[in-house]
């Protein structure tokens, strides 16, 4: 997991190579130059950022996470419940995608997917994952890492059927991560799934699985316009990370 959010402020206006990238040779690639100029011209955190006093943080990470997500929503952050989910296959090759948080409680952080999807197969092979939430409206990031377990079939079904008709329809389409023959094939399958989801709001989807990530580490990052970022890390203590929580500050 990176030390800074993907949107950390980049106010440098120096020429290529001045940022330590090592590419000091001139280029005739006009499209590449225009792209780099675009990147250097982008601005983030053009709002007043909240302060964060780590000394006042709770003893456990869950209450602080819930507070930060609520404050991100109140600040107008679109879809603050979306997160990056990183997994790895049996060979250790990583993959990442954006998914939706379904809950966060004393058991852990909840998300759902098909058991046969790429992330489902990878979690079966390596039942550990990392999550990343980034809320630029408040300059905050939360990173979560730990072991992942599957909820039972009844809880997984209940999770799916609490969601929208569209979510059920998408689950009914299934075949996630398989090769698709054409967009027309998807359109036909999607239309049939929507009709069934409307007709049978409790339609079963055997492959749908609720996953729970039990964290052994949770980091809270509060950005600062002058890059004096505050990073508070919670780590499980005890053998195998089974004890209580220890807190530590990290250099930005």
């Amino acid at each position: 997991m990176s030390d800074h959010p993907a949107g950390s402020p980049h106010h440098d206006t120096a020429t290529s190579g001045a940022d330590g990238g090592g590419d000091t040779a001139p280029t005739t690639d006009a499209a590449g130059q225009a792209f780099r100029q675009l990147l250097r011209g982008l601005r983030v955190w053009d709002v007043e950022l909240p302060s964060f006093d780590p000394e006042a943080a709770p003893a456990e990470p869950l209450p602080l996470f819930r507070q930060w997500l609520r404050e991100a929503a109140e600040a107008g952050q679109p879809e603050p419940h979306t997160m990056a989910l990183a997994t790895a296959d049996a060979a250790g090759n990583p993959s990442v995608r954006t998914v939706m948080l379904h809950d966060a409680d004393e058991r852990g952080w909840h998300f759902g997917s098909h058991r046969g999807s790429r992330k489902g197969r990878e979690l079966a092979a390596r039942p550990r994952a990392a999550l990343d939430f980034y809320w630029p409206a408040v300059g905050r990031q939360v990173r979560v890492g730990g072991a992942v377990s599957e909820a039972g079939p009844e809880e997984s079904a209940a999770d799916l059927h609490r969601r929208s008709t569209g979510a059920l329809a998408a689950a009914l389409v299934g075949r996630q991560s398989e090769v698709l023959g054409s967009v027309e094939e998807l359109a036909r399958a999607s239309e049939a799934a929507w009709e069934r989801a409307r007709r049978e709001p409790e339609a079963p989807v055997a492959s749908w699985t609720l996953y729970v990530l039990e964290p052994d580490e949770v980091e809270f990052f509060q950005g600062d316009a002058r890059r004096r970022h505050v990073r508070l890390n919670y780590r499980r203590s005890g053998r195998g990370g089974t004890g209580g929580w220890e807190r530590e500050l990290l250099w930005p």
Side-chain angles (χ1 to χ4, degrees):
M1 293 186 283
S2 65
D3 284 345
H4 303 296
S8 291
H10 191 139
H11 293 169
D12 301 333
T13 57
T15 57
S16 178
D19 59 359
D23 181 12
T24 58
T27 176
T28 57
D29 180 1
Q33 288 181 336
F35 181 70
R36 286 185 285 275
Q37 289 174 357
L38 169 65
L39 291 178
R40 289 193 170 94
L42 295 174
R43 295 293 181 263
V44 297
W45 298 349
D46 288 338
V47 296
E48 183 175 351
L49 299 178
S51 60
F52 174 45
D53 178 8
E55 295 297 326
E60 298 185 352
L62 179 60
L64 184 57
F65 173 79
R66 287 173 168 175
Q67 174 189 336
W68 274 27
L69 191 147
R70 182 178 63 254
E71 291 175 352
E74 292 171 348
Q77 176 65 52
E79 301 179 359
H81 57 321
T82 56
M83 60 189 184
L85 166 65
T87 56
D89 64 16
N93 300 305
S95 61
V96 66
R97 74 288 289 164
T98 301
V99 299
M100 184 179 297
L101 178 70
H102 292 193
D103 197 2
D105 59 17
E106 288 73 16
R107 293 165 56 197
W109 274 245
H110 301 217
F111 60 93
S113 185
H114 290 280
R115 193 177 300 107
S117 67
R118 178 174 178 177
K119 52 186 170 295
R121 297 193 305 270
E122 290 179 348
L123 287 169
R126 287 178 174 247
R128 291 189 62 84
L131 310 175
D132 182 81
F133 297 83
Y134 178 48
W135 303 311
V138 286
R140 287 174 171 172
Q141 177 182 212
V142 179
R143 304 189 298 174
V144 187
V148 177
S149 61
E150 295 184 11
E154 291 185 2
E155 188 177 2
S156 295
D159 169 75
L160 176 60
H161 295 128
R162 279 193 298 266
R163 304 182 68 204
S164 67
T165 300
L168 175 58
L172 286 167
V173 170
R175 304 182 65 178
Q176 191 176 63
S177 303
E178 296 180 17
V179 175
L180 174 66
S182 67
V183 292
E184 290 78 16
E185 183 181 357
L186 173 60
R188 290 191 298 269
S190 179
E191 183 62 29
W194 269 93
E195 291 178 2
R196 186 180 178 195
R198 293 190 184 103
R199 186 175 65 252
E200 301 177 51
E202 299 296 319
V205 182
S207 63
W208 183 260
T209 305
L210 179 66
Y211 294 95
V212 182
L213 186 155
E214 182 180 2
D216 49 41
E217 190 167 10
V218 184
E219 182 193 325
F220 293 84
F221 173 106
Q222 173 62 69
D224 178 87
R226 297 184 64 181
R227 303 196 184 193
R228 296 174 300 192
H229 314 308
V230 178
R231 296 174 63 192
L232 176 64
N233 194 48
Y234 290 79
R235 285 189 300 107
R236 287 281 191 187
S237 61
R239 185 179 180 85
T242 58
W245 290 99
E246 295 180 352
R247 301 186 305 173
E248 58 194 1
L249 291 173
L250 303 177
W251 281 90

